[in-house]
Amino acid sequence: MDDDAAKVESLGSGRVPFYEPGLQELVDEGRAAGRLTFTGDLRAALDGTEIAFVCVGTPGLADGAPNLAYVERVGRDAAVFATNDLVLVEKSTVPANTGVRLSQIIQREQARTGSPEGADKDRVRIEVASNPEFLREGSAVSDTLHPDRIVIGSATPDAGETVRRVYEPMLADHDCPVVMTDLPTAELIKHASNAFLATRISFINAVAQICEQVGADVTTVAQGMGYDKRIGPHFLNAGLGYGGSCFPKDVAAFHHLSESVGYEFRLLDAVRQINGDMRRLVMDKLRSEVWHLQDKTVTLLGAAFKPGTDDLREAPALYLLEQLLDEGATVRVYDPVATGQVKERYPQVEVFEDPIEALTDAHAAIVCTEWDQVRALTPAQMVAALGYPIVIDGRNVFDPQAMEAAGVAYHGIGRGSPQ
Ligand code: UGA
């Protein structure tokens, strides 16, 4: 159920309205089996429902706190429309203790005198549970079906058990730990996980800046660190930093939560600051090569905040794009799936479906998203296409030595000077 009529209409006619590998097939399968339907009518959706997942947006407010008004509205509506006992499961990312507030709202709504709905309402028991989502865009389907863990928080064992049963068929195919806990703990696991992953990225980006000064290569530093089982290899790719709809918002929300309970989470301040620095660093590298940007043509290789998605939310490429336009450059963008959206938002930008065409005669290129199509470009192709062979590699996808051997003025992130 969604109140965005265009989305419901699109899904109802079998079309997934965004790019996510494998999702179309899954939706087709569910529709064909008659097990998946779409509606804009919450009352109809809740009629006879035992478990409902709340997946509404929790957009960031100016002070970093998430806007929980949509979550609250679902709680009120569920209190009015539920026809039988219901477990209302928070899937949206919410700060600790949202579940407690949501339960209060539901109880208050149920107790409201003169409430318009059915007489049996008082006997309907609505419990809130938390079941945070850990999937990544671009691999959402496989992350959902093969999770590292499932976290379920609830105030009563019964509600938790009801949610666990939803996962039973999936767990039969893919066993993973199930953490059964209380509501605030489950909610906090989500924020702490995203904040920790963002911290790893900012940590390696800080190390990258030291690498540049001492002539070390951050990709090898990360590899050497990652072999330590206590550290592990993931989320240690230095570059333009994190974007997307989750890390920036969740780090801000977690910081806001900690402040609201009297703890100053200075580490997260630094995480955010380092993340912002990386975009500026890439612009500095570009300016150090091409000098002024006025009337220069710069090609952005990739626009999406990461490969495998057409999502542009908080994409580092958009910061660069806007900065370049501000400084008078002509901006070209290559992206295999997101150019339509880029053109819609920035009509003055030239968009390309072919990376070589996008590079042709440009003054410089910046790698923003490590799409396979970008990785596949060879130094020789880049030299042949670019007007001036200048490449700023914001995702460290190319080999610095190979680039320099081909005559490219190449700048990665934290890659020191080749010895
Ligand atoms: C992230 C988490 O990885 C998921 O576990 C979580 O469920 C999700 O947020 C969410 O809260 O909904 P997602 O935003 O889809 O998933 O993307 P990630 O793969 O985590 O990448 C986030 C950003 O970090 C991207 O811009 C990526 O380029 C950047 N990144 C990632 C790095 O700069 N370096 C790395 O080593 C890894």
Side-chain angles (χ1 to χ4, degrees):
M1 181 274 156
D2 202 297
D3 57 12
D4 180 335
K7 229 179 243 175
V8 172
E9 154 83 42
S10 167
L11 286 160
S13 59
R15 200 177 51 81
V16 176
F18 53 85
Y19 178 80
E20 183 61 48
L23 188 58
Q24 183 68 57
E25 292 79 351
L26 208 61
V27 169
D28 291 346
E29 200 184 305
R31 288 178 75 242
R35 293 191 295 123
L36 180 62
T37 54
F38 301 91
T39 178
D41 182 351
L42 183 59
R43 181 192 302 253
L46 286 180
D47 191 7
T49 289
E50 291 158 72
I51 306 168
F53 288 88
V54 183
C55 310
V56 295
T58 52
L61 297 167
D63 64 356
N67 181 353
L68 299 175
Y70 307 107
V71 175
E72 180 185 330
R73 208 181 76 203
V74 174
R76 285 184 197 283
D77 289 348
V80 175
F81 295 143
T83 56
N84 45 262
D85 289 355
L86 173 72
V87 180
L88 195 61
V89 191
E90 298 168 345
K91 232 344 157 182
S92 309
T93 298
V94 291
N97 281 327
T98 301
V100 173
R101 295 299 301 270
L102 194 54
S103 303
Q104 277 171 358
I105 286 290
I106 291 168
Q107 277 163 19
R108 203 175 288 158
E109 198 64 36
Q110 285 185 310
R112 194 157 68 102
T113 51
S115 185
E117 297 303 314
D120 285 347
K121 199 167 58 69
D122 292 347
R123 276 182 275 141
V124 170
R125 186 175 149 90
I126 303 180
E127 288 203 70
V128 174
S130 163
N131 176 214
E133 186 50 67
F134 300 106
L135 61 80
R136 292 159 299 171
E137 289 183 30
S139 52
V141 171
S142 75
D143 287 350
T144 301
L145 299 177
H146 308 282
D148 288 345
R149 80 298 210 186
I150 293 167
V151 174
I152 300 169
S154 61
T156 67
D158 277 1
E161 184 51 28
T162 304
V163 180
R164 200 193 61 78
R165 280 209 317 273
V166 173
Y167 289 99
E168 235 161 41
M170 213 179 79
L171 286 165
D173 287 343
H174 168 86
D175 203 17
C176 75
V178 180
V179 180
M180 305 289 289
T181 183
D182 56 61
L183 273 170
T185 305
E187 291 163 335
L188 206 97
I189 288 172
K190 171 66 188 185
H191 264 161
S193 299
N194 272 5
F196 185 72
L197 291 169
T199 302
R200 284 178 68 105
I201 297 170
S202 282
F203 182 86
I204 202 68
N205 278 332
V207 172
Q209 299 192 53
I210 308 291
C211 287
E212 296 197 353
Q213 302 310 318
V214 303
D217 185 330
V218 73
T219 60
T220 310
V221 172
Q223 191 187 11
M225 288 167 62
Y227 286 133
D228 184 326
K229 289 191 179 61
R230 295 167 302 173
I231 297 174
H234 304 291
F235 279 68
L236 288 178
N237 296 324
L240 267 166
Y242 59 79
S245 66
C246 303
F247 286 175
K249 177 169 74 83
D250 291 352
V251 172
F254 199 31
H255 187 266
H256 185 273
L257 172 80
S258 64
E259 230 171 23
S260 73
V261 296
Y263 178 70
E264 204 190 330
F265 211 146
R266 285 188 295 267
L267 178 63
L268 293 186
D269 274 334
V271 167
R272 287 197 287 178
Q273 198 180 330
I274 294 166
N275 199 53
D277 289 347
M278 301 316 289
R279 303 159 186 209
R280 291 185 280 277
L281 181 76
V282 164
M283 282 303 295
D284 288 345
K285 285 174 188 277
L286 178 69
R287 288 192 206 94
S288 77
E289 278 291 344
V290 304
W291 199 11
H292 298 109
L293 291 164
Q294 179 87 40
D295 300 328
K296 303 271 170 66
T297 299
V298 180
T299 301
L300 301 182
L301 293 171
F305 82 97
K306 60 181 246 181
T309 177
D310 59 355
D311 198 340
L312 294 177
R313 285 176 291 178
E314 302 281 334
L318 297 191
Y319 168 86
L320 300 179
L321 183 156
E322 288 177 10
Q323 196 64 40
L324 289 164
L325 290 175
D326 275 358
E327 294 186 36
T330 298
V331 181
R332 293 184 182 170
V333 172
Y334 161 74
D335 192 286
V337 295
T339 48
Q341 289 189 57
V342 172
K343 194 72 198 163
E344 217 167 89
R345 279 175 71 170
Y346 303 96
Q348 68 275 52
V349 164
E350 299 170 24
V351 298
F352 293 82
E353 306 286 318
D354 177 72
I356 298 289
E357 275 177 35
L359 292 171
T360 300
D361 294 334
H363 288 84
I366 307 178
V367 178
C368 300
T369 318
E370 64 275 36
W371 286 103
D372 285 345
Q373 295 89 330
V374 173
R375 287 182 188 282
L377 292 168
T378 63
Q381 282 176 315
M382 298 187 90
V383 171
L386 281 163
Y388 302 83
I390 297 169
V391 176
I392 315 295
D393 186 354
R395 294 294 179 188
N396 284 346
V397 297
F398 295 116
D399 174 23
Q401 275 88 348
M403 279 288 191
E404 300 214 344
V408 177
Y410 174 85
H411 296 263
I413 306 289
R415 309 206 70 177
S417 330
Q419 302 301 309

